[in-house]
Amino acid sequence: MKIVVTVAAPVETVWDALRNKEKIRHWHGWEYEGGLEQEIEQIYFTGVDEDGTTLRLGNGDEFAVEAVEGGSRITLTRAPLGADPEWDAYYDDVTEGWITFLHQLRFAVERHPGDPRRTLFYSGTGAVSPAHELRIPAGDAFDLDLLGESVKCEVWYRSDHQLGLTVDAWGNGLLVLSHIPPGDRKPEGATMAILSVYGDTDRDELETRWRAWWTERYPQELELPE
């Protein structure tokens, strides 16, 4: 399984985004109390191997960065199933996470080089995608009524289960929506949103609006007692 993203920046810039801890914070995952720094250390700096501009993680996933016309290509080759049996049940979830993070890397490098970001994260279950609930129109650029706020958006990327939108009103931020409908893989469905905001965006006000909207539609999956 390979994930390929092309970034409009030189190889050395993209490689720095993969190897500089502070730069990794600008695109990997999302903020959570006491966790992101340790997560970055564990994934990108523990038990890893480097060879030029190739990085092999401890779980066997491998990044390769190479020059192409217009910039650099990142190819992430997933380790095969069975390489880490403890994580096999989450293999598809990790793949979806890498799709999100590589597009967040491209966004950080191309749109906000060196800029710190703030993030909000939401997850839950549900049969209807948030893109449908938000009435996101077809096309690559549009004005959108986003929870009572009129914003200009452009499609940053699309994949089988994800949609990334730039949002001018969030300091040229990024909204990533992910939805896996109910099925054998996820009986109750699985839905996620990551909001990356910049500048003087009022993060607390944004959190209040999004939390109310999200919890009404996408309840958290309950963990059954063992």
Side-chain angles (χ1 to χ4, degrees):
M1 168 70 187
K2 293 181 184 293
I3 303 165
V4 180
V5 173
T6 300
V7 183
V11 167
E12 54 268 25
T13 300
V14 175
W15 184 248
D16 185 50
L18 277 167
R19 304 310 299 137
N20 181 313
K21 289 183 182 180
E22 185 57 32
K23 298 285 181 65
I24 294 171
R25 282 183 55 87
H26 296 175
W27 58 267
H28 175 84
W30 54 86
E31 299 167 281
Y32 60 101
E33 188 173 353
L36 184 56
E37 290 80 5
Q38 291 86 343
E39 184 175 312
I40 290 171
E41 180 69 33
Q42 176 63 36
I43 293 173
Y44 298 98
F45 298 96
T46 302
V48 303
D49 292 315
E50 292 185 39
D51 181 9
T53 53
T54 297
L55 173 68
R56 187 176 180 84
L57 304 183
N59 70 345
D61 289 351
E62 184 177 278
F63 293 88
V65 183
E66 59 186 327
V68 295
E69 185 175 355
S72 306
R73 180 167 57 220
I74 308 173
T75 302
L76 171 58
T77 304
R78 295 283 343 264
L81 277 167
D84 189 347
E86 291 186 8
W87 280 92
D88 278 359
Y90 305 99
Y91 191 89
D92 291 339
D93 295 326
V94 173
T95 297
E96 289 296 320
W98 280 131
I99 291 170
T100 300
F101 300 161
L102 287 184
H103 284 286
Q104 290 182 166
L105 184 158
R106 177 187 160 223
F107 187 77
V109 169
E110 291 187 6
R111 296 291 182 92
H112 290 280
D115 293 344
R117 63 170 182 159
R118 292 167 295 156
T119 58
L120 297 170
F121 172 78
Y122 307 94
S123 65
T125 60
V128 181
S129 77
H132 178 81
E133 291 278 9
L134 290 167
R135 300 179 181 177
I136 293 176
D140 292 330
F142 41 79
D143 292 331
L144 181 66
D145 182 359
L146 197 58
L147 278 60
E149 180 181 16
S150 180
V151 299
K152 292 185 179 298
C153 297
E154 292 183 5
V155 173
W156 186 248
Y157 75 97
R158 285 189 176 96
S159 68
D160 289 345
H161 299 294
Q162 299 185 32
L163 174 66
L165 299 175
T166 67
V167 184
D168 282 0
W170 301 349
N172 185 23
L174 182 67
L175 169 64
V176 174
L177 302 171
S178 173
H179 179 68
I180 297 173
D184 292 341
R185 177 179 161 195
K186 300 284 184 182
E188 310 227 0
T191 307
M192 179 198 76
I194 304 175
L195 288 61
S196 295
V197 302
Y198 299 84
D200 60 359
T201 303
D202 189 335
R203 181 181 181 276
D204 292 340
E205 189 274 337
L206 201 58
E207 156 71 4
T208 298
R209 284 192 290 126
W210 273 85
R211 179 69 60 187
W213 184 88
W214 190 271
T215 54
E216 181 181 342
R217 292 163 177 79
Y218 300 106
Q220 290 285 326
E221 185 175 5
L222 296 176
E223 294 186 8
L224 299 177
E226 295 183 0

